[in-house]
Amino acid sequence: MIGNLKKAAFLSYIKLAVTNIGGLLVTPYIIKMLGDEEYGLYTLIGAFVGYLSVLDLGLNNAIVRYVAQYREEKDQKAEENFLALSLIIYIGIGLLLVLLGGIFYLNVDNLFGDTLDAAQLEKARWMLLILIVNIGFTLPGGAFTGICTGYEAFVFPRWLSIFKYVLRVILIIAILNFGANALGIVILDTVLNLGFILLTIWFVFRKLKVRIKLHRFEWLYLKEIFGYSIWIFIFGLVYQFQWRTGQVILGTHLSPVVVAVYGIGVMLGIYFTSFGNIINQLILPKAVQSVYKQADSQYLTAQMTKVARISLLLLLFIFGGFIVVGKDFIQLWVGATYANAYYIGAGIMLVYIMPIAQGYARSVLEAKKLLKFRTLSFLFSTIIGIGGGSYLSYNYAEMGMIIGLVIPLFIFQWVVMNIFYAYKIKLEIVLFFRSIAGILAFYTIQITLFYIVFNHFPASWLSFVFKILVYSAVTIPLCYLQMNTYERKLISSKLS
């Protein structure tokens, strides 16, 4: 199992490298071929439809959690019944999705009539319809990936994702070269998603030998499932509302170019969070097992600290690199028009450094079914952020939007949740922060000094490469000095 987990982590980082590097390489080409206006339209409609992507009601996470539990309990009948009930619920979700999609479709003119011309509105309608179909089978298809995770069969889905993304990049370049527009990209994504979901379903039934059978239909059983998953659903809904609403709000009173700038910044921020969350996606089954075996708070704190220190060393290295060379990179990558994407991306990264590092604590909350407070607090801070960002956007455009969002979210993620961890699940948060204080202090000083020195260099690819090399050559050895004995042995074992 440990070997499988290591392979999964390795493949996850390979996938992240492929998707991020592929995205960084193909995005300028997409912008060049579509133009700033149409790219902004593509970003806007994608953000708008993204609201529907959380309509799985948290069932994907519930599948991971309950499948892991039933396998630990060796209760195959309960597992089969749970999966059957989940598929029934997904049928209801599909019907709800069609209804909401129809409402969105009928209101495209009302929402964006002031900022889009007639041709753009017509294209937006078609893109919306196809994306609704896409989500219609993507949501239930994701359940089968959740089954793989619950079975701790991490490797196949990750190989599949890597292959899918490489194929997508190749095909996007090809269809744009033959004159396709944003609508063509949406159609391509829909076809690819359907094909790879079918492959995942085949793997679940043929290789994992999973059985899905309804043994009994009990409302109390559904209540237990939703009691766990509803807070994950609300959290996911708020997360989509948080970043995608910024793009939609900007799109209602500012040009698609502003939406595109904001979208690039959000994309860079999401790349960062995706990198950090890879390990967190793998530890939920283990957290469930720890809770099931009634591990004490000292053990849980030690596990969280062990994961968090390694995560912070990596996250702050990447964050620091972005702060030091991000301005140059964005100017060279997509042009000076997108300069403010630097501040948007940096704001998102800063907000999520600590919650990503403390991903083990979040998994313990999921395992203990204690997500209500975290979700409601996240909702409250997001509502404040959206309200403040919307108000500021009328005077400061995309910069006002991101400033309004990140301030309350930072307070929630860095302060409120740590108080909750200490109070509710008795984690030793003071001890935790003492163990990471040296890392935080080191990177704060390091990043500040490099930013001051490198800010005077003119932007060029040669200068960009020079800065990256110098930053890495100085930071990596000093970072090694911040490691404890366990971390150094871990690094040595990987290099030997």
Side-chain angles (χ1 to χ4, degrees):
M1 173 54 220
I2 293 176
N4 191 35
L5 192 63
K6 287 182 178 180
K7 287 180 182 178
F10 174 74
L11 288 174
S12 293
Y13 282 108
I14 293 294
K15 174 190 170 184
L16 183 70
V18 169
T19 54
N20 286 6
I21 294 172
L24 293 175
L25 292 175
V26 80
T27 298
Y29 183 75
I30 294 174
I31 293 174
K32 177 183 176 182
M33 299 301 287
L34 297 182
D36 292 332
E37 290 279 340
E38 179 142 340
Y39 181 75
L41 176 65
Y42 173 70
T43 302
L44 175 62
I45 299 302
F48 193 66
V49 175
Y51 292 129
L52 301 177
S53 68
V54 297
L55 286 180
D56 71 340
L57 306 180
L59 281 176
N60 202 340
N61 288 69
I63 287 170
V64 175
R65 195 260 182 214
Y66 280 96
V67 167
Q69 175 183 322
Y70 294 139
R71 292 188 72 226
E72 181 70 21
E73 296 172 347
K74 296 180 170 47
D75 191 343
Q76 184 175 347
K77 185 176 180 180
E79 178 190 323
E80 292 172 0
N81 199 64
F82 165 74
L83 292 175
L85 283 171
S86 298
L87 290 181
I88 292 172
I89 294 169
Y90 269 122
I91 293 173
I93 291 172
L95 296 174
L96 178 62
L97 180 65
V98 172
L99 176 62
L100 291 177
I103 293 172
F104 284 175
Y105 178 82
L106 294 173
N107 285 278
V108 168
D109 286 8
N110 295 330
L111 288 166
F112 307 117
D114 293 337
T115 56
L116 301 180
D117 59 33
Q120 288 174 326
L121 286 170
E122 180 64 20
K123 189 175 294 182
R125 291 189 195 95
W126 279 105
M127 290 170 65
L128 185 61
L129 282 175
I130 296 169
L131 284 169
I132 289 169
V133 172
N134 190 338
I135 294 175
F137 56 74
T138 299
L139 285 182
F144 292 91
T145 302
I147 293 172
C148 293
T149 303
Y151 269 71
E152 300 183 74
F154 305 112
V155 174
F156 178 79
R158 280 157 179 78
W159 271 122
L160 206 60
S161 295
I162 292 169
F163 178 67
K164 173 187 170 183
Y165 193 81
V166 171
L167 182 62
R168 179 182 183 269
V169 169
I170 293 171
L171 292 177
I172 282 178
I173 293 173
I175 65 172
L176 288 177
N177 192 49
F178 282 103
N181 54 22
L183 183 60
I185 297 177
V186 170
I187 294 172
L188 172 64
D189 284 337
T190 301
V191 173
L192 284 176
N193 284 341
L194 176 59
F196 282 89
I197 285 170
L198 292 174
L199 283 173
T200 306
I201 294 172
W202 169 83
F203 178 78
V204 166
F205 287 122
R206 292 296 299 273
K207 297 299 181 180
L208 298 182
K209 309 296 183 184
V210 172
R211 293 184 61 191
I212 300 176
K213 182 179 180 180
L214 185 64
H215 295 280
R216 63 188 184 278
F217 190 93
E218 297 180 7
W219 289 107
L220 288 177
Y221 195 64
L222 284 178
K223 182 179 179 181
E224 180 184 353
I225 294 171
F226 279 113
Y228 169 79
S229 65
I230 191 64
W231 299 111
I232 298 174
F233 159 65
I234 295 174
F235 191 89
L237 181 64
V238 174
Y239 185 82
Q240 296 290 343
F241 181 73
Q242 172 190 99
W243 302 120
R244 296 183 186 276
T245 297
Q247 297 176 61
V248 174
I249 289 173
L250 293 172
T252 60
H253 64 277
L254 294 167
S255 73
V257 176
V258 174
V259 177
V261 173
Y262 188 84
I264 288 291
V266 169
M267 181 179 73
L268 292 171
I270 298 303
Y271 279 172
F272 177 81
T273 61
S274 298
F275 171 83
N277 278 321
I278 286 175
I279 295 299
N280 295 339
Q281 293 169 3
L282 302 175
I283 61 179
L284 177 56
K286 289 299 180 184
V288 171
Q289 292 168 15
S290 296
V291 171
Y292 183 75
K293 294 174 181 176
Q294 298 182 330
D296 61 25
S297 60
Q298 287 184 332
Y299 174 82
L300 296 177
T301 302
Q303 290 299 106
M304 179 182 73
T305 302
K306 185 183 293 186
V307 175
R309 281 184 56 87
I310 296 171
S311 294
L312 281 172
L313 289 167
L314 294 171
L315 291 170
L316 289 171
F317 176 78
I318 295 171
F319 175 71
F322 183 77
I323 295 299
V324 171
V325 302
K327 284 183 181 178
D328 291 357
F329 173 73
I330 290 172
Q331 181 177 338
L332 296 167
W333 177 46
V334 289
T337 301
Y338 296 84
N340 282 343
Y342 168 78
Y343 302 101
I344 295 165
I348 296 172
M349 293 177 192
L350 181 62
V351 165
Y352 279 100
I353 287 172
M354 189 54 63
I356 292 173
Q358 293 179 312
Y360 188 87
R362 186 172 73 247
S363 293
V364 170
L365 288 183
E366 290 190 30
K368 287 178 174 285
K369 305 178 188 177
L370 295 173
L371 294 172
K372 182 177 180 180
F373 176 82
R374 177 174 180 262
T375 300
L376 292 178
S377 299
F378 190 48
L379 173 63
F380 180 69
S381 59
T382 298
I383 290 173
I384 294 174
I386 289 291
S390 178
Y391 174 77
L392 292 173
S393 71
Y394 281 88
N395 290 319
Y396 304 104
E398 68 272 24
M399 292 303 300
M401 192 75 241
I402 197 65
I403 289 170
L405 273 169
V406 299
I407 292 175
L409 285 170
F410 182 87
I411 295 171
F412 160 69
Q413 301 278 30
W414 284 70
V415 180
V416 174
M417 280 312 302
N418 278 289
I419 295 173
F420 181 74
Y421 290 146
Y423 170 75
K424 194 64 180 180
I425 55 179
K426 309 301 181 183
L427 294 180
E428 299 174 20
I429 294 300
V430 174
L431 180 63
F432 168 77
F433 273 98
R434 283 178 183 170
S435 72
I436 66 170
I439 296 174
L440 294 177
F442 160 70
Y443 270 109
T444 300
I445 296 170
Q446 185 86 342
I447 293 169
T448 302
L449 291 176
F450 270 109
Y451 180 83
I452 292 172
V453 173
F454 284 167
N455 199 40
H456 300 291
F457 284 62
S460 69
W461 283 115
L462 181 61
S463 173
F464 171 77
V465 173
F466 172 77
K467 291 177 183 179
I468 286 290
L469 292 176
V470 172
Y471 171 78
S472 300
V474 173
T475 304
I476 291 174
L478 293 177
C479 176
Y480 185 79
L481 295 177
Q482 301 298 317
M483 296 180 181
N484 57 33
T485 303
Y486 166 78
E487 291 154 2
R488 291 179 182 177
K489 286 183 178 178
L490 184 65
I491 295 296
S492 299
S493 66
K494 296 299 180 185
L495 295 178
S496 61

